[in-house]
């Protein structure tokens, strides 16, 4: 069997380019060096004067997190595929003989960023890149939230009561290994979905309510370019409407209109938006025990045509990157969702750059 040579690898990489390597497009379009100052500040590595193996380059490690997020990979699977795939190696700038970070190193890097609370700064850094490229928040903004699943917890009723009250169950306090595997921040909620027509042609009298465990991703996108501009992570049971007043509105948008569904319609939110200079385009609710007035139906339908654009963001994150929480605790969930939001903006940036080039 012929031993592979340098030119054989180059030929294979050229073929991957011809087939459309998304990671190569990332390398051409996204300047990952802009993240270096924030990464180095968050990691705070020593100068190496005390010896030991030098750490991997922080930009290389961040690009590994991008690969992991794009493909919804565990740390172990990420390590394997970096060693296995030429496209991953090229994206990371690694050769066949270079040392590859193992699963533990990837976990430690992500954990260090998580504990430093670096994900917000990294998101803002890329948002600044988008603005510098001419993608300013324009034409108003759209708010919404989506549920993000996490591994279900098997707790007793007493343990659930303690967690809801913000207490650590007594049986867990002396069992550190058990405590580290118990998610004390994720919550159960009901996910409502429209009832579907039965085989006999009849329609159920009510919609379906499906129990759901995990977290909730709240986002605000700009209407013009559909980039995520503001975001927040909460437990799944948190209400959508109250988050509007917790930093989800982007004051730098060139227009003042705010679109959202009926979950965001409340007097507190309407007063808050008016005080902050925003114009509410939030859906109006149906009057209690009364039919919806025709003019409100028409108004809501017009708003839906705009508001529905935010659903495309969540669909992309869940279908393309398989958004799911593998970790324990809201701090790590925030890191996971923040990475998903950065990667979504990167993919959206690639798309807009491509269509502007071909136009």
């Amino acid at each position: 069997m012929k031993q592979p040579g340098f030119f054989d690898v180059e030929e294979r990489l050229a073929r991957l380019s011809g087939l459309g390597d998304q990671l190569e497009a990332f390398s051409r379009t996204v300047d990952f060096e802009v993240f270096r100052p924030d990464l180095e500040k968050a990691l705070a590595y020593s100068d190496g004067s005390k010896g030991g193996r030098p750490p991997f380059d922080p930009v290389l490690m961040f690009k590994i997190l991008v690969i992991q997020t794009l493909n919804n990979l565990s740390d172990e699977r990420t390590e394997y595929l970096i060693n296995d795939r030429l496209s991953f190696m090229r994206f990371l700038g690694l050769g066949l003989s270079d040392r590859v970070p193992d699963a533990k190193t990837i976990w430690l890097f992500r954990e260090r960023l998580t504990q430093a609370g670096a994900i917000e700064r990294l998101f803002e850094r890329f948002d600044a890149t988008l603005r510098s490229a001419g993608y300013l928040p324009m034409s108003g903004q759209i708010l919404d939230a989506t549920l993000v699943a996490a591994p279900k917890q098997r707790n007793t009723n007493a343990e659930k009561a303690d967690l809801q009250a913000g207490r650590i169950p007594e049986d867990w306090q002396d069992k550190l290994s058990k405590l580290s595997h118990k998610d004390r921040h994720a919550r159960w909620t009901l996910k409502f979905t429209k009832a579907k027509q039965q085989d006999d042609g009849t329609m159920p009298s009510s919609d379906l309510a499906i129990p759901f465990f995990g977290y909730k991703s709240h986002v605000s996108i700009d209407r013009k370019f559909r980039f995520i501009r503001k975001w927040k992570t909460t437990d799944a049971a948190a209400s959508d409407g109250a988050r509007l007043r917790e930093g989800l509105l982007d004051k730098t948008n060139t227009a003042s209109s705010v679109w959202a569904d009926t979950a965001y319609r409340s007097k507190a939110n309407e007063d808050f938006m008016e005080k902050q200079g925003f114009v509410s385009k939030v859906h109006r609710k149906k009057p209690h025990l009364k039919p919806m007035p025709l003019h409100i139906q028409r108004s809501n339908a017009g708003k839906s045509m705009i508001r529905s654009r935010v659903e495309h963001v969540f669909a992309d994150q869940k279908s393309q990157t398989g958004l799911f929480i593998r970790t324990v605790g809201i701090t790590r969930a925030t890191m996971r969702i923040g990475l998903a939001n950065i990667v979504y903006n990167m993919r959206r940036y690639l798309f807009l750059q491509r269509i502007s080039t071909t136009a």
Side-chain angles (χ1 to χ4, degrees):
M1 182 177 179
K2 185 180 76 170
Q3 291 294 322
F6 173 79
F7 292 106
D8 296 316
V9 174
E10 288 296 306
E11 183 178 346
R12 182 64 60 84
L13 288 172
R15 187 174 181 186
L16 288 173
S17 299
L19 293 171
D21 182 0
Q22 180 179 217
L23 290 177
E24 187 181 27
F26 268 60
S27 296
R28 286 196 309 265
T29 310
V30 178
D31 180 13
F32 283 91
E33 283 297 317
V34 301
F35 297 104
R36 185 177 294 278
D38 297 301
L39 291 170
E40 291 180 343
K41 183 178 180 180
L43 296 167
Y45 287 141
S46 66
D47 58 7
S49 59
K50 295 183 180 179
R53 175 177 286 186
F56 284 96
D57 179 73
V59 175
L60 178 145
M61 294 300 298
F62 181 69
K63 291 169 79 173
I64 289 177
L65 297 188
V66 170
I67 287 177
Q68 196 172 44
T69 305
L70 272 170
N71 298 277
N72 191 27
L73 302 174
S74 66
D75 295 334
E76 291 75 15
R77 188 64 178 166
T78 301
E79 176 190 357
Y80 174 82
L81 289 176
I82 292 172
N83 282 281
D84 182 64
R85 291 190 180 179
L86 290 175
S87 60
F88 284 14
M89 292 183 200
R90 175 167 63 181
F91 177 63
L92 298 173
L94 296 174
L96 292 173
S97 60
D98 289 330
R99 186 165 61 101
V100 173
D102 59 20
K104 183 65 173 180
T105 302
I106 297 170
W107 184 89
L108 287 171
F109 175 80
R110 186 179 59 252
E111 186 69 7
R112 198 158 184 169
L113 291 183
T114 301
Q115 298 307 320
I119 190 62
E120 287 85 1
R121 295 196 297 273
L122 294 170
F123 180 89
E124 291 169 1
R125 179 69 65 177
F126 189 64
D127 186 62
T129 298
L130 296 175
R131 293 168 187 259
S132 298
Y135 296 106
L136 299 174
M138 300 174 67
S139 304
Q141 53 198 298
I142 309 170
L143 276 63
D144 206 354
T146 189
L147 294 168
V148 183
K152 296 180 178 65
Q153 304 287 293
R154 308 299 180 185
N155 302 324
T156 65
N157 290 333
E159 290 170 342
K160 291 177 183 178
D162 284 337
L163 293 174
Q164 290 175 356
R167 300 187 299 267
I168 299 177
E170 186 176 352
D171 292 344
W172 298 4
Q173 296 180 13
D174 297 328
K175 301 176 181 178
L176 295 180
S177 60
K178 182 175 184 177
L179 186 61
S180 66
H181 288 86
K182 286 292 187 178
D183 196 328
R184 291 173 284 145
H185 303 119
R187 292 289 183 269
W188 284 96
T189 189
L190 290 177
K191 180 180 180 180
F192 293 93
T193 184
K194 292 292 184 182
K196 297 181 180 180
Q197 188 174 19
Q198 302 297 308
D199 294 337
D200 59 2
T202 60
M203 286 292 294
S205 59
S206 61
D207 293 336
L208 302 177
I210 303 173
F212 185 95
F213 184 81
Y215 293 92
K216 190 177 284 186
S217 170
H218 308 261
V219 304
S220 171
I221 70 168
D222 67 282
R223 179 187 173 191
K224 174 70 173 179
F225 298 113
R226 307 184 197 180
F227 286 113
I228 297 172
R229 302 293 182 172
K230 299 288 183 179
W231 61 280
K232 186 180 183 68
T233 301
T234 66
D235 64 76
S239 66
D240 296 353
R243 308 288 84 76
L244 180 143
R245 306 188 299 276
E246 297 178 356
L248 275 186
L249 293 178
D250 183 10
K251 294 184 178 181
T252 67
N253 198 292
T254 60
S256 57
S257 298
V258 177
W259 284 267
D261 62 27
T262 55
Y264 296 85
R265 170 67 69 169
S266 69
K267 187 178 186 304
N269 283 350
E270 295 300 305
D271 292 344
F272 178 83
M273 285 188 282
E274 183 178 3
K275 185 177 180 180
Q276 297 294 321
F278 294 102
V279 177
S280 174
K281 301 289 185 180
V282 179
H283 280 46
R284 291 188 176 275
K285 298 179 180 179
K286 176 183 174 297
H288 184 59
L289 299 178
K290 295 181 181 178
M292 177 75 82
L294 184 59
H295 71 281
I296 294 181
Q297 289 185 38
R298 291 173 176 170
S299 175
N300 282 351
K303 294 172 182 176
S304 292
M305 294 179 65
I306 297 172
R307 194 204 64 79
S308 62
R309 297 176 186 178
V310 72
E311 302 291 350
H312 303 164
V313 176
F314 298 137
D316 181 273
Q317 288 184 319
K318 292 185 177 181
S319 64
Q320 298 297 320
T321 61
L323 182 56
F324 179 79
I325 303 298
R326 299 176 182 273
T327 52
V328 173
I330 195 166
T331 304
R332 295 188 181 111
T334 299
M335 181 70 181
R336 174 70 177 95
I337 290 173
L339 280 170
N341 291 340
I342 292 175
V343 168
Y344 166 80
N345 279 354
M346 287 181 177
R347 295 184 70 248
R348 182 69 182 168
Y349 180 46
L350 259 63
F351 172 76
L352 293 176
Q353 288 291 90
R354 185 169 65 250
I355 63 175
S356 66
T357 301
T358 57

